[in-house]
Amino acid sequence: MNDLDKVISKIRELKKKQQTILIAIDGFGGSGKSSLAKSIKEKFSDTAIVEMDDFYSPKLKGADYERVLNQIIKPLKEGKTADYQIYDWQSNRLILRKSILPRNIVIIEGVYSMKEPLLENYDIKIWVEYSPELGFKRGLERDKNQYGVDTTDKWLKDWMPRHK
């Protein structure tokens, strides 16, 4: 049984016991967290994926963990719908409101998704190991293709030093 099969098995076990399953997928930038989240979603159609990139804060130079906790985790744990806005990397502001119903599987994936105060709230925690140098290359490509921005300076001056 490979690691993905073990995760799938654990999710199936938890689905029998509870309404909402919260999963964290963390690791270096560009390590494959999003790909793993999509692989899980392929197995369970009732899966919502929340990207930590949507909670980026220029003021904090990283994720706004309080917003993740208050807008995603707490409402879902209370059986309520989670309403939140996503960060737009091109306009540098919050846009587009999204909602997640309090049921099924919710994956919060991204760098530092297992940082306090979020860590204790997850039912399953997954760390994806990958070379930071290869992740850097993949992350730059993703940022250009997905967000339409060049984040080279942020990677070199901020994110990569933080990873270490």
Side-chain angles (χ1 to χ4, degrees), residues 55 67-76 82 84 100 108:
F55 289 85
R67 200 161 71 84
V68 176
L69 186 63
N70 293 323
Q71 293 181 0
I72 301 292
I73 294 174
K74 283 184 179 178
L76 292 174
Y84 66 103
I100 300 173
I108 300 177

Side-chain angles (χ1 to χ4, degrees), residues 24-40 49-53 107-114 126-130 135 138-139 142 155 163:
I25 302 178
D26 200 340
F28 293 121
S31 63
K33 298 173 298 297
S34 297
S35 296
L36 177 57
K38 289 174 188 169
S39 294
I40 293 170
I49 298 173
V50 176
E51 298 177 14
M52 288 296 288
D53 287 348
I107 299 171
I108 300 177
E109 67 89 3
V111 176
Y112 306 120
S113 58
M114 289 196 290
I126 302 168
W127 176 263
V128 180
E129 190 69 33
Y130 198 74
R138 288 175 58 184
R142 177 210 52 221
W155 274 91
H163 287 321

Side-chain angles (χ1 to χ4, degrees), residues 129-142:
E129 190 69 33
Y130 198 74
S131 159
E133 292 75 24
L134 292 174
F136 166 69
K137 291 176 186 175
R138 288 175 58 184
L140 279 179
E141 183 178 317
R142 177 210 52 221

Side-chain angles (χ1 to χ4, degrees), residues 5-15 123-124:
D5 290 337
K6 290 176 186 175
V7 171
I8 299 304
S9 178
K10 180 67 175 175
I11 293 169
R12 286 192 176 120
E13 181 184 313
L14 287 171
K15 281 181 70 105
D123 300 300
I124 298 174

